[in-house]
Amino acid sequence: MSTIESVLKEDRVFYPSEEFVKQANISGMQAYRDLCAKAEADYEGFWAELARKHITWSKPFTEVLDDSRAPFVKWFADGELNPSYNCIDRHLADKADKTALIFERDDGTSERISYQELHDRVCQVSNALKQLGVTKGDRVIIYMPMIAEAVIAMQACARIGAIHSVVFGGFSSGAVKDRAKDAEAKVIITANESVRGGKRSPLKATVDEALSSNECPALEHVLVYQRTDTEINWVEGRDIWWHDIVDQQAKTCEPVPLNAEDPLFVLYTSGSTGKPKGVEHHVGGYLLGAAVTMHWVFDYKPTDVYWCTADVGWITGHTYICYGPLLVGATQVVFEGVPTYPDASRFWSMIEKHKVTTFYTAPTAIRSLIKLGDDLPEKFDLSSLRLLGSVGEPINPEAWIWYYEKVGGSRCPIVDTWWQTETGSNSIAPLPGAFPIKPGSCTLPLPGIMADIVDESGQSVPQGHGGSLVIRRPFPSLLRTVYKDDARFVSTYFPDEFGNKLYLAGDSAATDDDGYIRIMGRIDDVLNVSGHRLGTMEIESALVAHPLVAEAAVVGKPHEVKGESVVAFVMLKGERPTGEEATKIAAELKAWVAKEIGKIAQPDDIRFGENLPKTRSGKIMRRLLRSLAKGETVTQDISTLENPHVMEQLSQSA
């Protein structure tokens, strides 16, 4: 086995302040090691203690882990609880008047919703769903803008034991149809329109289109929230206005006791091939992961104002908006808009306005904000911040440093979190009051997460080498299966080559001399250049470290001598260069990568675009870049791209 080479060295280390360490929920490295030792010594006892501490059970569990049918496992299988009760009702005795949600609309107006108000509104929607015939186990598609009502709808489903499947509001009608069809949804909850960045987008019309082919026979109703005054098409008998049915409902609704292993939601994630996978999460284990990581990774304090900028259409919005913050009784910001509207200072002005203490966003957002206004954060009072977080992809060291210095004022630890839709909650991440932090590293596995880096035979690779990231033991928040497709669950995540025993994350990773983990990219983003296996992320980080570069994506293309050659797609901080200027900057960047990493990683081909092809959620569409690199005609669907026009730019070499 040739291990994946890790060639990017990062020597900078940042220590949490004494003040932060003193107040931290997990304080100092020894406290982390003690937790890990506890999990090693008594794995089931470790998780059972946490489950009793962080979750309120209507019927306590006596069984902890049943792995007799591994990889199909059960956690706390004879226990009962309700997610909505855990997120709302249990706080009412002492937090009824505490703000649960600060909802800021696209236009800058905001409303504060207390835990009592949230309870009342969730109960009303639960009762409305019951009136529409929704019962425990029925599937409900939620296709909503990023508004408070999206969170309310998710909680309302959980309250009555309906299984929600949220579809990101930027997805097309085909995506809605596929998911509603696969889930056999009984109801779709949507809005007439969404409002983002001052623009309106049709949601209800998209749902109408999705249902026009009559491929969703299980569907009975479409519940429509009126977000704008735009008129919409109406199907009598099927369509129901939210205000017509919800507003007249009682503000009490008994939470339905659910078994810990009842499904809570199905969230579809695109596979590299074939139809999307319905990742299925179950009630008890998932909620435990969300609650524990709020305490450990986000160091939650009752005085915090927490803000995760994700959309509820993604797993981050499920765990760190809808469930995690509410489980711990937090006050959080829910934001409808985009970071660049009405101008590039929107995030910073909101942090100042709402006195945000904990800010969790994606590297893509950070890099685009650097490009739009490197000095903007300094114009706002960001002194309320005490903790920053990064999610979604590895953060390159230079963006990390900017985030640390310019946004956090060099005083806020950054929790660079590695996890997946499938893991349900943060799995490898710094504990901010315990770990020295290195830019670009998600540091160490959380206590109870038995992560490892292995070669093709499943053997651990030596420290300092790279390989495939795996998790050796099941943990509570890990997915239970792929919805209606157990065989795909096993073949994708517990493959035969690892004896169906190791969870294969699909990422390549390496450790450094301290055992810190650095994610090097997806396994299918590993390049083999002249016998050297290089992670694309490392080359991307080197490129982004150049003062001219805002963002970069690297792919491989076949090369008759080297096996593969490196192709870099680059967005500069300034204008897109053309002609001689492009050639000159390309040569400069090639030399830079050679200096930063080594000649082996130097791109053979650099192409400039005013942006990179991204989905509406900000993810770079690497499969399209791979086609462009090879000079193939792009036949894939590009309708979900935010910016299809850049494809032409990126097809031209500098």
Side-chain angles (χ1 to χ4, degrees):
M1 157 74 183
S2 56
T3 58
I4 299 166
E5 294 188 27
S6 175
V7 284
L8 190 69
K9 299 290 180 230
E10 179 55 67
D11 300 319
R12 293 168 290 189
V13 181
F14 296 80
Y15 293 84
S17 67
E18 264 181 58
E19 190 185 346
F20 195 101
V21 173
K22 266 185 211 154
Q23 61 82 59
N25 295 340
I26 307 291
S27 177
M29 197 59 142
Q30 194 54 48
Y32 163 74
R33 289 199 185 104
D34 290 349
L35 282 168
C36 291
K38 204 168 171 182
E40 270 297 343
D42 178 8
Y43 193 66
E44 289 189 27
F46 172 80
W47 286 113
E49 187 182 320
L50 289 168
R52 291 186 183 106
K53 180 181 173 184
H54 291 283
I55 303 291
T56 304
W57 299 85
S58 53
K59 180 188 166 204
F61 59 88
T62 61
E63 300 165 24
V64 183
L65 170 61
D66 174 359
D67 57 1
S68 57
R69 290 185 58 241
F72 300 96
V73 302
K74 292 178 177 177
W75 283 92
F76 322 117
D78 61 344
E80 290 182 357
L81 68 161
N82 181 275
S84 180
Y85 178 90
N86 272 274
C87 289
I88 304 170
D89 303 51
R90 66 173 176 167
H91 304 310
L92 296 180
D94 59 347
K95 297 188 186 77
D97 296 331
K98 181 178 181 177
T99 300
L101 308 180
I102 303 169
F103 170 48
E104 176 146 322
R105 298 178 187 84
D106 189 65
D107 65 6
T109 59
S110 55
E111 80 171 300
R112 299 175 85 92
I113 302 167
S114 69
Y115 272 92
Q116 185 64 57
E117 289 164 330
L118 183 62
H119 168 273
D120 296 354
R121 288 165 69 171
V122 167
C123 285
Q124 285 186 299
V125 177
S126 293
N127 289 328
L129 288 170
K130 287 200 298 193
Q131 193 177 319
L132 295 176
V134 176
T135 59
K136 181 184 167 186
D138 286 338
R139 277 76 60 207
V140 175
I141 295 279
I142 297 175
Y143 181 61
M144 293 280 275
M146 198 47 211
I147 55 179
E149 285 73 16
V151 175
I152 289 165
M154 292 164 79
Q155 286 285 342
C157 289
R159 196 169 187 86
I160 59 173
I163 301 165
H164 60 69
S165 186
V166 184
V167 180
F168 171 58
F171 276 163
S172 63
S173 61
V176 176
K177 179 190 77 182
D178 291 345
R179 287 154 174 76
K181 182 180 172 182
D182 191 67
E184 298 171 278
K186 189 181 257 189
V187 171
I188 295 180
I189 304 177
T190 189
N192 62 333
E193 291 187 309
S194 65
V195 185
R196 286 178 83 239
K199 298 185 183 125
R200 296 181 173 193
S201 301
L203 293 186
K204 169 62 163 58
T206 307
V207 170
D208 289 343
E209 192 178 327
L211 298 176
S212 62
S213 60
N214 298 319
E215 288 177 54
C216 304
L219 192 96
E220 294 175 9
H221 293 290
V222 178
L223 180 60
V224 188
Y225 180 79
Q226 187 168 359
R227 173 63 187 87
T228 65
D229 54 7
T230 304
E231 288 194 10
I232 51 172
N233 180 51
W234 201 253
V235 178
E236 277 308 326
R238 184 194 76 181
D239 299 348
I240 296 162
W241 280 115
W242 177 293
H243 53 259
D244 281 346
I245 187 169
V246 171
D247 294 0
Q248 48 148 322
Q249 300 293 335
K251 293 178 179 177
T252 54
C253 173
E254 274 302 302
V256 172
L258 302 176
N259 181 277
E261 282 296 341
D262 280 337
L264 173 60
F265 63 85
V266 174
L267 183 56
Y268 287 87
T269 176
S270 47
S272 46
T273 55
K275 68 173 190 174
K277 302 186 288 289
V279 170
E280 187 176 310
H281 279 288
H282 291 191
V283 174
Y286 171 79
L287 292 179
L288 177 59
V292 166
T293 51
M294 284 299 300
H295 281 283
W296 287 353
V297 179
F298 295 104
D299 191 51
Y300 171 70
K301 301 289 185 288
T303 51
D304 278 334
V305 176
Y306 167 94
W307 181 18
C308 167
T309 67
D311 189 287
V312 290
W314 309 105
I315 189 66
T316 305
H318 281 55
T319 310
Y320 297 110
I321 296 176
C322 181
Y323 290 107
L326 297 177
L327 280 165
V328 299
T331 295
Q332 66 168 321
V333 175
V334 173
F335 177 45
E336 180 178 32
V338 294
T340 52
Y341 178 82
D343 56 52
S345 62
R346 182 68 180 271
F347 273 5
W348 321 130
S349 65
M350 281 179 64
I351 291 169
E352 177 180 88
K353 175 179 168 186
H354 300 300
K355 297 193 169 37
V356 171
T357 62
T358 308
F359 181 63
Y360 193 33
T361 195
T364 297
I366 296 161
R367 288 191 294 262
S368 67
L369 290 163
I370 296 173
K371 184 176 168 67
L372 290 162
D374 191 353
D375 54 341
L376 278 176
E378 294 165 357
K379 296 179 178 164
F380 294 85
D381 178 4
L382 307 183
S383 60
S384 60
L385 287 170
R386 67 180 196 90
L387 184 63
L388 300 174
S390 162
V391 61
E393 59 184 303
I395 181 168
N396 49 288
E398 293 314 311
W400 192 103
I401 294 288
W402 183 87
Y403 193 29
Y404 182 76
E405 291 176 351
K406 298 281 186 163
V407 180
S410 301
R411 69 177 187 282
C412 303
I414 297 177
V415 289
D416 174 2
T417 60
W418 178 87
W419 61 298
Q420 301 175 304
T421 304
E422 293 86 349
T423 68
S425 56
N426 298 156
S427 306
I428 305 172
L431 299 182
F435 291 12
I437 302 174
K438 298 180 187 182
S441 168
C442 51
T443 66
L444 295 167
L446 296 184
I449 305 292
M450 307 303 182
D452 196 6
I453 298 169
V454 300
D455 62 19
E456 282 136 344
S457 63
Q459 298 302 305
S460 301
V461 300
Q463 196 150 300
H465 290 262
S468 293
L469 181 64
V470 298
I471 298 171
R472 289 196 170 274
R473 293 198 69 172
F475 54 97
S477 68
L478 189 65
L479 82 161
R480 294 296 185 266
T481 188
V482 170
Y483 185 67
K484 298 193 303 189
D485 198 343
D486 286 350
R488 190 174 184 189
F489 166 72
V490 176
S491 65
T492 305
Y493 302 112
F494 293 89
D496 290 345
E497 59 262 35
F498 295 156
N500 308 121
K501 286 189 171 36
L502 303 184
Y503 169 79
L504 180 65
D507 282 330
S508 58
T511 52
D512 66 12
D513 297 342
D514 297 317
Y516 276 29
I517 294 170
R518 195 157 36 79
I519 305 296
M520 293 155 63
R522 297 293 295 167
I523 288 172
D524 54 6
D525 288 333
V526 172
L527 309 183
N528 194 328
V529 180
S530 303
H532 298 263
R533 300 178 77 211
L534 303 172
T536 54
M537 178 63 203
E538 300 200 271
I539 306 170
E540 289 168 9
S541 284
L543 283 163
V544 175
H546 189 284
L548 291 177
V549 176
E551 195 162 20
V554 166
V555 301
K557 74 171 180 184
H559 188 280
E560 58 185 12
V561 178
K562 301 178 193 177
E564 271 188 297
S565 66
V566 178
V567 182
F569 297 88
V570 173
M571 175 176 85
L572 299 181
K573 289 174 181 170
E575 296 292 307
R576 172 178 177 258
T578 52
E580 277 181 34
E581 189 192 7
T583 310
K584 178 171 158 281
I585 295 173
E588 188 180 327
L589 293 179
K590 288 176 185 178
W592 173 269
V593 172
K595 180 175 135 296
E596 289 288 298
I597 295 180
K599 198 107 174 112
I600 189 68
Q602 182 176 300
D604 288 68
D605 183 2
I606 293 185
R607 305 178 186 190
F608 296 103
E610 59 196 46
N611 211 318
L612 299 177
K614 289 176 185 171
T615 63
R616 293 190 182 100
S617 68
K619 237 182 187 163
I620 297 169
M621 295 282 275
R622 291 172 192 274
R623 60 186 175 86
L624 294 179
L625 295 178
R626 283 193 272 273
S627 293
L628 286 177
K630 291 173 189 168
E632 296 169 350
T633 307
V634 173
T635 54
Q636 297 111 310
D637 177 23
I638 60 170
S639 64
T640 58
L641 286 186
E642 184 85 76
N643 45 8
H645 68 279
V646 300
M647 296 291 288
E648 175 58 35
Q649 298 174 358
L650 296 170
S651 62
Q652 302 158 26
S653 297

